[in-house]
Amino acid sequence: AYLSTAWNPPADGMAIDGARRAVTWLERAVADGTDLEARREILAAALNAGLAAQKGVGGVHALSRAIEAEPQVNCPHGLLHAALLPPVLAFNRPATLDRTDVLCHALGLPPGSDLSRAMAEFGVRLGLPPRLGAVPLDEEAVSRIAVRAAEDPAHLTTPRLATTADIRGLLEAAL
């Protein structure tokens, strides 16, 4: 949401605070599900994310919803996001350079860091699959998903508008 093209300063603040809380507390919450302090902070991060989503959620969400519409797919929404976030961030990077240093700071990264790589590494540390290799998608499904994602309203707030061919490439990068 923070990288969305929509203008909503309160949502930006919630997105940044949510991202900071997530990277600070999520590994601890995953490591020990009984850690109430970590769980409380992740609850706050999730609340911030939900409130910030009113600004727009972009390409990751458009692709996730398009994949979930395939009848043969039975994959948790969050796992889709984990595999799709790095290629979408990399694709959007040229259009988000003016905002990434703020996000890097919130995530505890040096200015100019590669957010795509950092998020991929974070997902691996959490035990999330880095790719969608287990999701059963043939060529026809990939084509349908690319069209659906391009038509999804969430795609309208992505920082770098992607063509259907671009979206297909993003999906293939995540497979």
PDB file of all heavy atoms in Angstrom, residues 1 4 6-8 10-12 14 48-57 157:
ATOM      1  N   ALA A   1       0.819  -1.193   0.000  1.00  0.00           N
ATOM      2  CA  ALA A   1       0.000   0.000   0.000  1.00  0.00           C
ATOM      3  C   ALA A   1       0.866   1.260   0.000  1.00  0.00           C
ATOM      4  O   ALA A   1       0.511   2.243  -0.638  1.00  0.00           O
ATOM      5  CB  ALA A   1      -0.941  -0.005   1.194  1.00  0.00           C
ATOM      6  N   SER A   4       1.788   2.276  -3.427  1.00  0.00           N
ATOM      7  CA  SER A   4       0.651   2.531  -4.312  1.00  0.00           C
ATOM      8  C   SER A   4       0.707   3.956  -4.856  1.00  0.00           C
ATOM      9  O   SER A   4       1.222   4.873  -4.213  1.00  0.00           O
ATOM     10  CB  SER A   4      -0.642   2.336  -3.520  1.00  0.00           C
ATOM     11  OG  SER A   4      -1.735   2.924  -4.165  1.00  0.00           O
ATOM     12  N   ALA A   6      -1.893   5.854  -5.306  1.00  0.00           N
ATOM     13  CA  ALA A   6      -2.944   6.683  -4.715  1.00  0.00           C
ATOM     14  C   ALA A   6      -2.353   7.593  -3.644  1.00  0.00           C
ATOM     15  O   ALA A   6      -1.313   7.294  -3.053  1.00  0.00           O
ATOM     16  CB  ALA A   6      -4.035   5.798  -4.127  1.00  0.00           C
ATOM     17  N   TRP A   7      -3.031   8.702  -3.385  1.00  0.00           N
ATOM     18  CA  TRP A   7      -2.568   9.667  -2.390  1.00  0.00           C
ATOM     19  C   TRP A   7      -3.401   9.520  -1.134  1.00  0.00           C
ATOM     20  O   TRP A   7      -4.625   9.721  -1.154  1.00  0.00           O
ATOM     21  CB  TRP A   7      -2.700  11.087  -2.940  1.00  0.00           C
ATOM     22  CG  TRP A   7      -2.061  12.123  -2.075  1.00  0.00           C
ATOM     23  CD1 TRP A   7      -0.738  12.431  -2.014  1.00  0.00           C
ATOM     24  CD2 TRP A   7      -2.711  12.982  -1.140  1.00  0.00           C
ATOM     25  NE1 TRP A   7      -0.520  13.434  -1.100  1.00  0.00           N
ATOM     26  CE2 TRP A   7      -1.724  13.795  -0.543  1.00  0.00           C
ATOM     27  CE3 TRP A   7      -4.029  13.139  -0.746  1.00  0.00           C
ATOM     28  CZ2 TRP A   7      -2.010  14.747   0.414  1.00  0.00           C
ATOM     29  CZ3 TRP A   7      -4.317  14.103   0.222  1.00  0.00           C
ATOM     30  CH2 TRP A   7      -3.312  14.890   0.785  1.00  0.00           C
ATOM     31  N   ASN A   8      -2.770   9.123  -0.037  1.00  0.00           N
ATOM     32  CA  ASN A   8      -3.452   8.964   1.236  1.00  0.00           C
ATOM     33  C   ASN A   8      -2.395   8.967   2.341  1.00  0.00           C
ATOM     34  O   ASN A   8      -1.905   7.916   2.754  1.00  0.00           O
ATOM     35  CB  ASN A   8      -4.263   7.659   1.250  1.00  0.00           C
ATOM     36  CG  ASN A   8      -5.115   7.523   2.490  1.00  0.00           C
ATOM     37  OD1 ASN A   8      -4.743   7.976   3.560  1.00  0.00           O
ATOM     38  ND2 ASN A   8      -6.262   6.868   2.349  1.00  0.00           N
ATOM     39  N   PRO A  10      -2.443   9.376   5.660  1.00  0.00           N
ATOM     40  CA  PRO A  10      -2.640   8.515   6.836  1.00  0.00           C
ATOM     41  C   PRO A  10      -2.380   7.040   6.523  1.00  0.00           C
ATOM     42  O   PRO A  10      -1.785   6.324   7.330  1.00  0.00           O
ATOM     43  CB  PRO A  10      -4.107   8.754   7.227  1.00  0.00           C
ATOM     44  CG  PRO A  10      -4.427  10.106   6.676  1.00  0.00           C
ATOM     45  CD  PRO A  10      -3.640  10.194   5.390  1.00  0.00           C
ATOM     46  N   ALA A  11      -2.809   6.584   5.347  1.00  0.00           N
ATOM     47  CA  ALA A  11      -2.562   5.192   4.966  1.00  0.00           C
ATOM     48  C   ALA A  11      -1.068   4.943   4.830  1.00  0.00           C
ATOM     49  O   ALA A  11      -0.575   3.863   5.197  1.00  0.00           O
ATOM     50  CB  ALA A  11      -3.294   4.855   3.673  1.00  0.00           C
ATOM     51  N   ASP A  12      -0.332   5.919   4.299  1.00  0.00           N
ATOM     52  CA  ASP A  12       1.126   5.775   4.203  1.00  0.00           C
ATOM     53  C   ASP A  12       1.738   5.548   5.585  1.00  0.00           C
ATOM     54  O   ASP A  12       2.580   4.665   5.760  1.00  0.00           O
ATOM     55  CB  ASP A  12       1.762   7.012   3.571  1.00  0.00           C
ATOM     56  CG  ASP A  12       1.576   7.082   2.074  1.00  0.00           C
ATOM     57  OD1 ASP A  12       1.173   6.073   1.463  1.00  0.00           O
ATOM     58  OD2 ASP A  12       1.856   8.163   1.516  1.00  0.00           O
ATOM     59  N   MET A  14       0.290   4.364   8.276  1.00  0.00           N
ATOM     60  CA  MET A  14      -0.093   3.040   8.783  1.00  0.00           C
ATOM     61  C   MET A  14       0.702   1.939   8.082  1.00  0.00           C
ATOM     62  O   MET A  14       1.126   0.973   8.719  1.00  0.00           O
ATOM     63  CB  MET A  14      -1.592   2.812   8.600  1.00  0.00           C
ATOM     64  CG  MET A  14      -2.430   3.637   9.557  1.00  0.00           C
ATOM     65  SD  MET A  14      -4.192   3.353   9.355  1.00  0.00           S
ATOM     66  CE  MET A  14      -4.562   4.532   8.071  1.00  0.00           C
ATOM     67  N   ASN A  48      -2.751  -2.430  10.797  1.00  0.00           N
ATOM     68  CA  ASN A  48      -2.219  -1.334   9.979  1.00  0.00           C
ATOM     69  C   ASN A  48      -2.303  -1.680   8.499  1.00  0.00           C
ATOM     70  O   ASN A  48      -2.666  -0.843   7.676  1.00  0.00           O
ATOM     71  CB  ASN A  48      -0.777  -1.016  10.361  1.00  0.00           C
ATOM     72  CG  ASN A  48      -0.680  -0.170  11.608  1.00  0.00           C
ATOM     73  OD1 ASN A  48      -1.637   0.439  12.028  1.00  0.00           O
ATOM     74  ND2 ASN A  48       0.497  -0.132  12.190  1.00  0.00           N
ATOM     75  N   ALA A  49      -1.949  -2.908   8.155  1.00  0.00           N
ATOM     76  CA  ALA A  49      -1.997  -3.321   6.748  1.00  0.00           C
ATOM     77  C   ALA A  49      -3.422  -3.252   6.215  1.00  0.00           C
ATOM     78  O   ALA A  49      -3.655  -2.766   5.100  1.00  0.00           O
ATOM     79  CB  ALA A  49      -1.440  -4.732   6.591  1.00  0.00           C
ATOM     80  N   GLY A  50      -4.366  -3.725   6.999  1.00  0.00           N
ATOM     81  CA  GLY A  50      -5.759  -3.685   6.565  1.00  0.00           C
ATOM     82  C   GLY A  50      -6.264  -2.268   6.384  1.00  0.00           C
ATOM     83  O   GLY A  50      -6.968  -1.966   5.411  1.00  0.00           O
ATOM     84  N   LEU A  51      -5.894  -1.378   7.295  1.00  0.00           N
ATOM     85  CA  LEU A  51      -6.318   0.015   7.175  1.00  0.00           C
ATOM     86  C   LEU A  51      -5.613   0.719   6.016  1.00  0.00           C
ATOM     87  O   LEU A  51      -6.213   1.532   5.322  1.00  0.00           O
ATOM     88  CB  LEU A  51      -6.063   0.748   8.492  1.00  0.00           C
ATOM     89  CG  LEU A  51      -6.919   0.285   9.675  1.00  0.00           C
ATOM     90  CD1 LEU A  51      -6.421   0.905  10.975  1.00  0.00           C
ATOM     91  CD2 LEU A  51      -8.388   0.601   9.444  1.00  0.00           C
ATOM     92  N   ALA A  52      -4.354   0.413   5.806  1.00  0.00           N
ATOM     93  CA  ALA A  52      -3.597   1.043   4.719  1.00  0.00           C
ATOM     94  C   ALA A  52      -4.045   0.544   3.353  1.00  0.00           C
ATOM     95  O   ALA A  52      -3.882   1.240   2.352  1.00  0.00           O
ATOM     96  CB  ALA A  52      -2.098   0.789   4.911  1.00  0.00           C
ATOM     97  N   ALA A  53      -4.637  -0.642   3.308  1.00  0.00           N
ATOM     98  CA  ALA A  53      -5.046  -1.240   2.030  1.00  0.00           C
ATOM     99  C   ALA A  53      -6.083  -0.400   1.299  1.00  0.00           C
ATOM    100  O   ALA A  53      -6.236  -0.530   0.084  1.00  0.00           O
ATOM    101  CB  ALA A  53      -5.570  -2.654   2.253  1.00  0.00           C
ATOM    102  N   GLN A  54      -6.757   0.506   2.020  1.00  0.00           N
ATOM    103  CA  GLN A  54      -7.726   1.380   1.355  1.00  0.00           C
ATOM    104  C   GLN A  54      -7.057   2.251   0.290  1.00  0.00           C
ATOM    105  O   GLN A  54      -7.702   2.719  -0.637  1.00  0.00           O
ATOM    106  CB  GLN A  54      -8.447   2.257   2.368  1.00  0.00           C
ATOM    107  CG  GLN A  54      -7.519   3.254   3.048  1.00  0.00           C
ATOM    108  CD  GLN A  54      -8.222   4.086   4.089  1.00  0.00           C
ATOM    109  OE1 GLN A  54      -9.177   4.764   3.761  1.00  0.00           O
ATOM    110  NE2 GLN A  54      -7.756   4.014   5.324  1.00  0.00           N
ATOM    111  N   LYS A  55      -5.747   2.412   0.374  1.00  0.00           N
ATOM    112  CA  LYS A  55      -4.991   3.206  -0.586  1.00  0.00           C
ATOM    113  C   LYS A  55      -4.791   2.451  -1.900  1.00  0.00           C
ATOM    114  O   LYS A  55      -4.608   3.043  -2.944  1.00  0.00           O
ATOM    115  CB  LYS A  55      -3.628   3.578   0.029  1.00  0.00           C
ATOM    116  CG  LYS A  55      -2.815   4.491  -0.828  1.00  0.00           C
ATOM    117  CD  LYS A  55      -1.507   4.832  -0.142  1.00  0.00           C
ATOM    118  CE  LYS A  55      -0.646   5.593  -1.128  1.00  0.00           C
ATOM    119  NZ  LYS A  55       0.744   5.515  -0.811  1.00  0.00           N
ATOM    120  N   GLY A  56      -4.823   1.139  -1.830  1.00  0.00           N
ATOM    121  CA  GLY A  56      -4.595   0.298  -2.995  1.00  0.00           C
ATOM    122  C   GLY A  56      -3.528  -0.726  -2.677  1.00  0.00           C
ATOM    123  O   GLY A  56      -2.608  -0.448  -1.913  1.00  0.00           O
ATOM    124  N   VAL A  57      -3.659  -1.910  -3.260  1.00  0.00           N
ATOM    125  CA  VAL A  57      -2.725  -2.980  -2.924  1.00  0.00           C
ATOM    126  C   VAL A  57      -1.921  -3.498  -4.101  1.00  0.00           C
ATOM    127  O   VAL A  57      -1.040  -4.324  -3.934  1.00  0.00           O
ATOM    128  CB  VAL A  57      -3.448  -4.137  -2.198  1.00  0.00           C
ATOM    129  CG1 VAL A  57      -3.843  -3.724  -0.786  1.00  0.00           C
ATOM    130  CG2 VAL A  57      -4.679  -4.585  -2.968  1.00  0.00           C
ATOM    131  N   THR A 157      -3.564   0.656  -9.064  1.00  0.00           N
ATOM    132  CA  THR A 157      -2.748   1.479  -8.171  1.00  0.00           C
ATOM    133  C   THR A 157      -1.306   0.996  -8.075  1.00  0.00           C
ATOM    134  O   THR A 157      -0.557   1.435  -7.205  1.00  0.00           O
ATOM    135  CB  THR A 157      -3.357   1.523  -6.756  1.00  0.00           C
ATOM    136  OG1 THR A 157      -3.432   0.188  -6.245  1.00  0.00           O
ATOM    137  CG2 THR A 157      -4.724   2.177  -6.765  1.00  0.00           C
TER     138      THR A 157
END
